[in-house]
Amino acid sequence: MTAFEGEQALRAYVRAAVSPRIELYQLRRAALCNVTSGTLESDIGGVCAPADGSVVPNCDGDPPVQPLWRRDRALPTDPWQPWRMIAGWSCPDDLLPTLTAEDFRRLPIVPQVIQMQPDRGWVLVNKETIVLTDPAEQTFRTDLFGYGIDVIATPTQYTWDFRDESTHLTTDSPGHPYPGFDVFHVYDQPGTTAISLTTTWSGRYRVDGDGTWREVVGTAETTSTTAPFEIVERRSHLVAEDCNQNPDQPGCG
């Protein structure tokens, strides 16, 4: 049994609050047998196996958590069986739940909104189409095995699909607007397309009652897509008057 599983079993046992007169099993925390001496016995009389080199862990200054012991009986009138250890020494961190990558991916992370420059429903062929998004973190409050947990999701990688024959563009920059733009694409053919963004999110979490932020081992992804837009070709012409004022003159339209 892992330290976390043992702690959950102990919590359930305490919550049940069964009278000692009728309970069929008991759980206690008590020191492990003295593994440095030839006489191995627990301070609650538990049966100890021969010394196997187990040592009290170093918990970075925190006091270690004593092993968990259990004893059973078939009926309330039967004598108790000997104590047996079901979880060894552990550190306080070992008793806390772990937010897994699967847990992280189940959070309702909102896909990012894609911004384009120019943003007018069409872009020019052979000219830079600038893309960017908001790199803001997202925060969540969730519950895991009865523990309250705060989670922060941070965008760390952006993969752009411009939906032409080019390869996807992967970057750690969310992009910046004109004139300091750094994420862009140049279309070389007219047509209709859209742009997709897949964002990779890293996470960290904090369990209630413990002030330490821990990294999620694994990432989550979200995908967003723009509305369709036109890639058009425009040619410049010399005209006599402003096309807005005289759109029918040669060279306008």
Side-chain angles (χ1 to χ4, degrees):
M1 179 178 287
T2 67
F4 176 70
E5 292 170 338
E7 179 66 11
Q8 292 299 101
L10 181 58
R11 285 174 175 238
Y13 169 77
V14 172
R15 285 196 302 269
V18 178
S19 169
R21 293 175 299 178
I22 62 173
E23 61 185 355
L24 301 180
Y25 77 96
Q26 291 181 334
L27 295 178
R28 298 286 189 276
R29 288 205 179 275
L32 180 64
C33 311
N34 181 359
V35 298
T36 62
S37 72
T39 302
L40 304 180
E41 61 181 25
S42 166
D43 55 9
I44 59 172
V47 175
C48 295
D52 58 5
S54 299
V55 294
V56 178
N58 181 351
C59 299
D60 295 327
D62 294 326
V65 180
Q66 291 184 328
L68 183 63
W69 298 78
R70 174 174 175 151
R71 67 177 179 177
D72 299 83
R73 60 185 176 183
L75 297 171
T77 55
D78 291 343
W80 287 104
Q81 297 295 313
W83 287 99
R84 54 191 175 87
M85 189 179 69
I86 60 174
W89 286 102
S90 58
C91 292
D93 287 354
D94 300 329
L95 307 185
L96 299 174
T98 298
L99 188 77
T100 66
E102 290 73 19
D103 298 324
F104 183 52
R105 292 168 189 147
R106 282 193 288 267
L107 294 175
I109 302 175
V110 179
Q112 293 176 299
V113 176
I114 300 172
Q115 301 176 50
M116 294 175 55
Q117 292 182 333
D119 183 15
R120 56 197 172 197
W122 57 271
V123 300
L124 288 173
V125 70
N126 297 323
K127 293 291 185 180
E128 294 91 344
T129 297
I130 302 167
V131 291
L132 60 149
T133 192
D134 185 354
E137 297 178 331
Q138 297 184 31
T139 59
F140 303 91
R141 179 70 177 171
T142 188
D143 181 90
L144 192 63
F145 298 104
Y147 293 81
I149 295 181
D150 296 315
V151 186
I152 298 177
T154 304
T156 54
Q157 184 173 276
Y158 309 87
T159 298
W160 298 91
D161 179 2
F162 297 100
R163 298 195 178 184
D164 58 4
E165 296 182 355
S166 64
T167 57
H168 295 177
L169 172 62
T170 298
T171 175
D172 59 3
S173 171
H176 298 87
Y178 181 89
F181 62 94
D182 58 342
V183 182
F184 61 91
H185 183 65
V186 176
Y187 288 101
D188 60 8
Q189 296 292 330
T192 301
T193 191
I195 297 174
S196 292
L197 168 64
T198 298
T199 303
T200 301
W201 300 80
S202 297
R204 62 188 188 275
Y205 66 97
R206 179 177 60 188
V207 181
D208 284 359
D210 180 69
T212 303
W213 285 95
R214 294 174 169 79
E215 299 295 323
V216 176
V217 179
T219 58
E221 288 186 347
T222 58
T223 299
S224 48
T225 303
T226 67
F229 59 88
E230 298 291 327
I231 308 166
V232 300
E233 187 173 18
R234 292 285 190 267
R235 296 183 182 275
S236 60
H237 300 276
L238 292 175
V239 295
E241 301 179 50
D242 188 333
C243 286
N244 291 321
Q245 299 177 357
N246 185 6
D248 296 327
Q249 66 180 305
C252 294

